[in-house]
Structures are given as C-alpha cells and as structure tokens.
Amino acid sequence: MLMYGNWRSAAAFRVRIALKLKGIPYEETFIDLDAGDQHKPDFRAINPQGAVPALFDGDGPPLTQSLAILDYLEETKGGVRLLPEEPRARARARSLAQVVACDTHPLYVPRVRNFLMEEYDLPRERMLAFLRNAFETGLRTLEARLSREPGTGRFCQGDAVSHADLCLVSLWVGTGIFGVETAAYPTVARIAAECLALPAVAEAHPLRQPGAPSA
Ligand SMILES: N[C@@H](CCC(=O)N[C@@H](CS)C(=O)NCC(=O)O)C(=O)O
C-alpha cells in the first residue's frame, strides 16, 4: 500500500496506527502541508480536497478520509480487529471516534488556521486560542464520557483497542504539538498512555516520522 501523509497529520496518524496494528506493509510519501504541497495539481488529482491521508491499495482509486479508510481496512483486511462485534459497543466506539475526527480535528487543520489568519487578520496568538478551544471542547467531551460511561475499560471501549482509541491518541499527541493544557483530562490521559505503550502506536507516532522535529 502507498499512503500520502504528513508527520504532523492526526488523520494520517490514525491510519498509520491501523496499518501497523494489522501488520499491513505500506510506504508513506510525505506531503509538505506547510509548503502547500496539498494544493499542487499533482496531489489535487489524487485528492481534490487537498488533504492527507490518501491511501492506495493495489490498482484501485485512492481512498480518502481517515474514518472511511479505517472502515475499509477493517472490512477487507485480517489482523487485529479494531471495532467491537456487539452493535452497541461498536456504535459507542464509532461515536467516540467521531467526537474527535468529525467535530474536533476539522477545527484546527491548516486550511482553517490559515484562513483565520489570512482572511480575518487574526494574530497567530488568537488563532492558537481558537485552536486550543477546539482541542479543549473535544477533550472535555471525551473526559466526561470516558469517565462516566460503563463501556470504558482499559481502552475507550472495553479492553481492546478500537477506532475510538486511534482517534483519541491522535488528538492527544496534538495537545503536545500545539501546547494544549491537559491536566483536566485524567481519563483521556490514562487511555492515551495505554495506546502509546503499544509498539504499533509508538512506531506510528508523528515525531517518529521523517520530516518531524526531534522533539
Ligand atoms: N476528515 C479528514 C481530515 C483530513 C485533513 O484535513 N487532513 C489534514 C492534515 S491532518 C490536511 O491534510 N490538511 C490540509 C489543509 O488543511 O490544507 C480525515 O479524517 O481524513
């Protein structure tokens, strides 16, 4: 498989973890989002949205949108299962995943950050305040749910890793990258630590990818 990604991309991180957990070999081509490579015609031909990840599996057209890719891998590949069988547990794992991937992450991607600074003349500090509010809103929701709902176990849904954890840890790592305060989210922190202790997650970590800064 060939994935177009970026070291810092939370969405690419989620897919990278799933590929590693399932033992699927892949290569990654890095798209420099800071340099605007996502807007170049060559990449727009792959994903007209101008966003990573995009994943090629064999000769078919590229797969895009991390949650759709995670579902595709779950439905077509063997290896570790990343969604529970039981329908309610599965719905809960997906619901937690969507809190991150649908309602939180879209608020701090480069196109939004750049738009705020370029179109609204927001100084960088105010843009970062917007970004941190997005993180905090998502983290508060996760903390409230994970600390109270009986479905929570070692991981977000019971004791097995699921799409919810891939999303949670992708958000968590972003708190370090963007300097978001995390003391108020102990349950999220505990589950993120469980995820980061897994070799597949550690190998997929943004800071371990080519192009990443050393810390
Ligand atoms: N909902 C999409 C988000 C994709 C996305 O926005 N990726 C970011 C990096 S995490 C990106 O490539 N952004 C480019 C830009 O905003 O210009 C997914 O989960 O795959």
Side-chain angles (χ1 to χ4, degrees):
M1 289 199 189
L2 172 65
M3 179 165 94
Y4 286 81
N6 174 278
W7 69 266
R8 195 183 50 213
S9 163
F13 183 28
R14 304 193 265 273
V15 173
R16 213 182 288 125
I17 299 171
L19 291 168
K20 286 184 184 289
L21 282 172
K22 288 177 179 289
I24 301 168
Y26 71 95
E27 285 178 22
E28 186 164 350
T29 296
F30 281 80
I31 297 296
D32 188 340
L33 301 177
D34 293 328
D37 287 355
Q38 69 273 37
H39 305 303
K40 291 189 175 156
D42 282 1
F43 185 70
R44 288 273 174 173
I46 292 168
N47 184 4
Q49 191 185 6
V52 295
L55 183 75
F56 285 89
D57 181 18
D59 293 333
L63 298 147
T64 57
Q65 287 289 342
S66 61
L67 291 184
I69 296 173
L70 295 183
D71 281 342
Y72 170 83
L73 295 175
E74 191 68 9
E75 287 159 9
T76 62
K77 310 296 172 193
V80 176
R81 298 286 88 198
L82 293 175
L83 280 174
E85 282 300 322
E86 198 275 313
R88 273 186 188 272
R90 181 176 278 238
R92 180 170 176 272
R94 283 185 158 142
S95 166
L96 291 164
Q98 288 173 22
V99 167
V100 175
C102 302
D103 292 343
T104 308
H105 177 221
L107 296 171
Y108 66 86
V109 291
R111 58 187 173 277
V112 172
R113 303 202 305 266
N114 293 338
F115 189 84
L116 289 174
M117 289 193 293
E118 287 161 17
E119 297 296 321
Y120 292 123
D121 289 328
L122 274 197
R124 187 173 167 72
E125 264 319 305
R126 293 204 59 211
M127 180 280 289
L128 287 173
F130 176 93
L131 174 152
R132 289 183 187 125
N133 178 61
F135 268 94
E136 284 157 12
T137 305
L139 287 164
R140 261 199 311 274
T141 303
L142 289 178
E143 182 62 32
R145 291 192 54 186
L146 292 167
S147 63
R148 289 177 208 157
E149 293 176 359
T152 306
R154 181 180 161 207
F155 292 102
C156 286
Q157 175 58 44
D159 294 330
V161 182
S162 73
H163 290 179
D165 302 288
L166 276 47
C167 290
L168 176 144
V169 75
S170 74
L171 186 71
W172 187 257
V173 165
T175 63
I177 294 173
F178 292 107
V180 178
E181 185 52 58
T182 56
Y185 318 109
T187 317
V188 180
R190 176 186 67 72
I191 294 174
E194 290 280 3
C195 294
L196 289 164
L198 301 172
V201 178
E203 285 168 24
H205 193 289
L207 292 178
R208 289 189 57 184
Q209 308 312 308
S214 53

